[in-house]
């Protein structure tokens, strides 16, 4: 047997161990080895049952994602065919599922007649997150095992399921007492099956999955769910495959599933989502930093400022079981902050996402203080005070005097120069930016800002810490706005300018949400607060733009007290949660256009798309060229996880690649040449974009 699979015959059992670290992805070589092992076990008359397990404790994370989009993904033996072959073996197969059975891994387990897990086992069909559907029998076998509703829920959510729930549903037949005992228990189970003359496959609880389903089940399901799917293809294909499971016999259902899977695999959306999967994993690897760099322990955290941001940041650590002390200047502000955190947890409790005991346990990890001296033993301090350089510098002077040597000192600034903050301390190597996004306990993006002197160890430690608290940390260099907000600037600039030129906020937002962005520019500003946006802009006009006339609309709304949702008026009018267009904003735009000598005209949606998106992309490419962003994929992660860019478009950089870099460049040049002085001022192609196109490159990389 080759080294990808171990094979042993013991006491009438063939033990087949999957041995392809780290996750036993079912690439062609492993598929071939597994098939060979199963054939051998089938042919050996001394073997009466087969146990398949993961030799390193983990069962299998599914098909090999690196193969998708290449001939390797269906190179013989292909996974669907291999699993059909397994189901034809007339001996009981037991899947011993340690840790994980995901995607094709769970489908492998479903092809076995029997499944045993351990208390920490998680099973799931997360293909949808890759723009795919289960393609090796999952959409046909799972509904027959657990019923259509539970199966659909599992595939549409893509979420992994805990062992107990999988046991309840019948995805697992048994649980071993511990991971250590899993293989032994699996063998015991196999012996029982032999002793009881159990069939190779037990009968399916939902052999006819359509039976008992309400006649309008699929219609209602679609009505309820489709709006959430926006233009995503994969949920629709999952849905079709499950419908097929109800209409067709297994064999034909499997054929239908395969056709749908191939459609999904070839789609641009799946290509984009696979890019995002690997970008997330790449983001943690920093060139020049040895992965074996010793990390500093983070056992206690301090957060300065118990406002919405500080409180949200603190919750991340409490959620991960790390004690946090919150520092405020006034006792009442501290009390308010802690009470707000409790209230937020109480909402999760009400929604069933947290138990009472978990709530109390998390609150017990949070404490408050008014004294800097109480931060002396913190391993990591995150400052979340008012966004003003002098205030933040004062905080860092204090931290420098009280914190223990080796403590990591982080600022949650969204725009200030981290080098200038680090410079007021005697330990700039320990200073870093940690830009959380609001609400900080929910949003997954964490921009990790590496300042000039931040040490490799501090950077590596904070990246690891970011993952520990469930964030997607992305490294940015120091510049105004870092990666995300710097790109927001030209994108929002075009949106504002287009309104001056004749578009309405609703038209601009409609084009952007039509692309599946979570929100358009103007709804986002209304939500974030036009006042907040104005104050940041006003304090940084020099850093933002040499001509800020396009901001006049926002400035005027600010001066009118129209701060957005909080005042029920901003770019739109609000009645409760309902948003309406506001003719006054149109009138204001007309007046400002007159004052600024901007001629108004009807604006096509295509122009909105091109100007907003191309300027966003152009800035991203420029950030890469400047070395502020390390990789195009990092930029994509920032915009997907911090700004609601749809993952199925892969992020703005990947979108540009799929769109065509030459077309993006041509678009920028077109507006440079047709928008007069404004065009010449703003539509300057990033030199890297020009170089890439000149070199005939289709992917965005440093050149
Ligand atoms: C499928 O199964 C389709 C079938 O239905 C039909 C087929 C016909 N393939 O995330 P980590 C790599 S679709 C290839 O850092 P963790 C990963 O890139 C698949 N590589 O660790 C990384 O490599 P590197 C359905 C994979 O502990 C390393 O393993 N399955 C795969 O935080 C460690 O990964 C899924 O969608 C893979 N399937 O999380 C599961 N999985 O070190 C996808 C991982 O070079 N995987 N790698 O950067 C996951 O969700 C997580 O990786 C997992 C581990 C939870 C398993």
């Amino acid at each position: 047997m080759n080294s990808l699979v171990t094979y042993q015959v013991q006491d009438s059992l063939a033990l087949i161990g999957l041995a392809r670290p780290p996750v036993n992805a079912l690439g062609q070589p492993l598929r071939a080895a597994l098939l060979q092992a199963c054939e051998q076990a089938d042919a050996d008359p001394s073997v009466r049952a087969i146990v398949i397990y993961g030799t390193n404790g983990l069962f299998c994370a599914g098909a090999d994602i690196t193969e998708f989009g290449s001939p390797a993904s269906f190179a013989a033996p292909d996974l669907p065919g291999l699993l059909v072959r397994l189901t034809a073996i007339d001996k009981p197969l037991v899947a011993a599922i340690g840790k994980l059975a995901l995607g094709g891994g769970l489908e492998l387990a479903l092809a076995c007649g029997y499944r045993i897990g351990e208390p920490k086992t998680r099973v799931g069909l997360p293909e949808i997150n890759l723009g795919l559907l289960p393609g090796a029998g999952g959409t046909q076998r799972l509904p027959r095992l657990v019923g259509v509703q539970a199966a659909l829920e599992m595939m549409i959510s893509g979420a992994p399921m805990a062992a107990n729930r999988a046991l309840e549903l019948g995805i697992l037949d048994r649980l071993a007492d511990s991971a250590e005992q899993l293989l032994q228990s699996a063998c015991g189970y196999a012996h029982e099956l032999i002793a009881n003359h159990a069939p190779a496959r037990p009968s399916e609880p939902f052999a006819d999955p359509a039976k008992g389903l309400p006649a309008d089940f699929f219609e209602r399901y679609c009505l309820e769910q489709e709006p959430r799917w926006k233009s995503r293809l994969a949920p629709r294909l999952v849905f079709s495959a499950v419908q097929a499971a109800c209409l067709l016999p297994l064999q034909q259902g499997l054929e239908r599933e395969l056709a749908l899977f191939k459609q999904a695999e070839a789609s641009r959306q799946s290509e984009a989502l696979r890019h995002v999967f690997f970008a997330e994993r790449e983001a943690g690897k920093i060139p020049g930093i040895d992965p074996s760099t010793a990390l500093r322990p983070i056992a206690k955290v301090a957060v300065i400022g118990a406002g919405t941001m500080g409180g949200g940041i603190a919750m991340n650590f409490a959620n991960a079981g790390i004690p946090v002390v919150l520092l405020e200047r006034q006792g009442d502000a501290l009390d308010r902050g802690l009470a707000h955190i409790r209230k937020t947890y109480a909402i999760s409790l009400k929604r069933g996402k947290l138990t009472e005991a978990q709530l109390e346990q998390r609150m017990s990890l949070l404490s408050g203080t008014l004294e800097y001296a109480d931060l002396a033993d913190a391993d990591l301090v995150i400052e979340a005070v008012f966004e003003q350089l002098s205030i933040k510098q004062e905080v860092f002077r204090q931290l420098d005097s009280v914190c223990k040597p080796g403590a990591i000192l982080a600022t949650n600034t969204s725009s200030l120069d981290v080098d200038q903050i680090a410079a007021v301390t005697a330990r700039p190597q320990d200073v870093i930016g940690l830009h959380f996004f609001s609400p900080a306990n929910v949003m997954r993006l964490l921009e990790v800002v590496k300042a000039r002197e931040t040490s490799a160890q501090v950077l590596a430690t904070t990246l690891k810490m970011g993952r520990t608290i469930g964030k997607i940390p992305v490294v940015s260099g120091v510049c105004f706005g870092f990666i995300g907000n710097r790109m927001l600037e030209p994108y929002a600039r075009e949106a504002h300018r287009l309104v001056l030129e004749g578009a309405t906020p609703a038209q601009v937002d409609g084009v952007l949400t039509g692309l599946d962005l979570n929100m358009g520019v103007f709804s986002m500003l209304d939500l974030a607060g036009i006042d907040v946006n104005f104050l940041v802009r006003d304090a940084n006009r020099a850093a933002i733009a040499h001509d800020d006339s396009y901001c006049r609309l926002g400035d005027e709304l600010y001066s009118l007290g129209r701060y957005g949702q909080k005042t029920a008026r901003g770019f739109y009018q609000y009645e409760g949660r309902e948003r309406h267009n506001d003719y006054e904003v149109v009138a204001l735009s007309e007046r400002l256009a007159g004052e600024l000598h901007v001629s108004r005209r009807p604006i096509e949606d295509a122009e909105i798309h091109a100007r907003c998106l191309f300027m966003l992309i152009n800035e991203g490419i420029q950030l890469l060229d400047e070395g502020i962003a390390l990789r195009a994929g990092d930029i994509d992660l920032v915009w997907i996880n911090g700004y609601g860019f749809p993952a199925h478009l892969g992020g703005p950089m990947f979108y540009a690649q799929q769109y065509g870099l030459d077309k993006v460049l041509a678009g920028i040049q077109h507006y440079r040449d047709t928008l007069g002085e404004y065009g010449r001022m703003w539509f300057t192609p990033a030199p890297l974009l020009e170089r890439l196109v000149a070199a005939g490159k289709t992917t965005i990389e440093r050149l």
Side-chain angles (χ1 to χ4, degrees), residues 464-483:
K464 170 76 177 20
M465 177 281 299
R467 288 187 185 254
T468 306
I469 60 171
K471 301 290 175 198
I472 297 183
V474 177
V475 175
S476 170
V478 173
C479 69
F480 180 76
F482 314 128
I483 296 175

Side-chain angles (χ1 to χ4, degrees), residues 79-155:
L79 191 58
L82 165 66
L83 299 190
V84 168
R85 171 70 190 95
L86 261 51
T87 58
I89 295 176
D90 193 21
K91 299 176 184 183
L93 269 76
V94 177
I97 306 177
K99 288 188 190 155
L100 282 177
L102 297 179
L106 180 56
E107 292 173 300
L108 166 61
L110 294 175
C112 298
Y114 304 89
R115 291 160 299 277
I116 175 167
E118 40 96 358
K120 296 223 167 93
T121 294
R122 285 179 304 144
V123 298
L125 291 172
E127 284 87 344
I128 201 157
N129 300 325
L130 298 166
L132 299 169
L133 61 149
T139 65
Q140 307 302 302
R141 294 199 181 100
L142 192 63
R144 287 173 164 83
L145 185 67
V146 302
V148 165
Q149 301 202 24
L152 252 183
E153 195 180 310
M154 205 166 155
M155 290 186 257

Side-chain angles (χ1 to χ4, degrees), residues 137-309:
T139 65
Q140 307 302 302
R141 294 199 181 100
L142 192 63
R144 287 173 164 83
L145 185 67
V146 302
V148 165
Q149 301 202 24
L152 252 183
E153 195 180 310
M154 205 166 155
M155 290 186 257
I156 293 284
S157 77
M161 177 182 284
N164 279 337
R165 177 74 181 133
L167 189 65
E168 265 169 34
L169 279 177
I171 295 175
L172 294 176
D173 304 302
R174 293 194 176 186
L175 281 189
D177 290 339
S178 67
E180 292 70 35
Q181 287 168 35
L182 176 63
L183 185 56
Q184 198 189 347
S185 305
C187 292
Y189 186 21
H191 280 300
E192 269 179 50
L193 294 168
I194 296 170
N196 295 337
H197 303 285
R201 299 185 67 75
S203 57
E204 289 151 331
F206 294 85
D208 176 1
K211 204 165 134 193
L213 271 190
D216 61 349
F217 173 79
F218 284 108
E219 199 182 322
R220 268 195 305 120
Y221 188 87
C222 221
L223 264 177
E224 274 169 30
Q225 301 287 326
E226 247 197 329
R228 281 184 227 162
W229 298 344
K230 299 185 177 171
S231 50
R232 286 162 64 215
L233 177 67
R236 294 176 168 86
L237 297 185
V238 167
F239 182 78
S240 297
V242 174
Q243 270 184 313
C246 292
L247 295 171
L248 302 173
L250 181 65
Q251 174 60 29
Q252 281 167 270
L254 289 173
E255 283 164 21
R256 174 89 182 116
E257 176 195 74
L258 188 57
L260 294 169
F261 181 87
K262 289 191 171 171
Q263 183 188 346
E265 186 193 0
S267 70
R268 288 159 74 101
Q269 292 189 2
S270 176
E271 195 195 354
L273 286 160
R274 283 164 1 223
H275 155 75
V276 175
F277 177 83
F278 288 113
E280 282 183 14
R281 274 132 197 101
E282 269 309 289
K285 298 170 192 156
I286 306 304
I289 297 190
D290 186 337
S292 62
T293 302
L295 304 182
R296 298 185 189 175
I298 307 279
K300 185 170 179 193
V301 173
V303 177
I304 302 178
T308 316
M309 198 42 140

Side-chain angles (χ1 to χ4, degrees), residues 53-67:
Y53 67 103
T55 54
N56 58 358
L58 182 150
F59 185 69
C60 176
D64 187 336
I65 301 168
T66 59
E67 287 186 346

Side-chain angles (χ1 to χ4, degrees), residues 592-614:
L592 290 175
E595 286 172 22
L596 295 165
H597 308 293
V598 174
S599 50
R600 286 174 66 82
R601 62 195 161 92
I603 307 276
E604 300 271 331
D605 286 357
E607 180 171 349
I608 295 173
H609 168 268
R611 287 175 58 179
C612 292
L613 268 289
F614 293 175

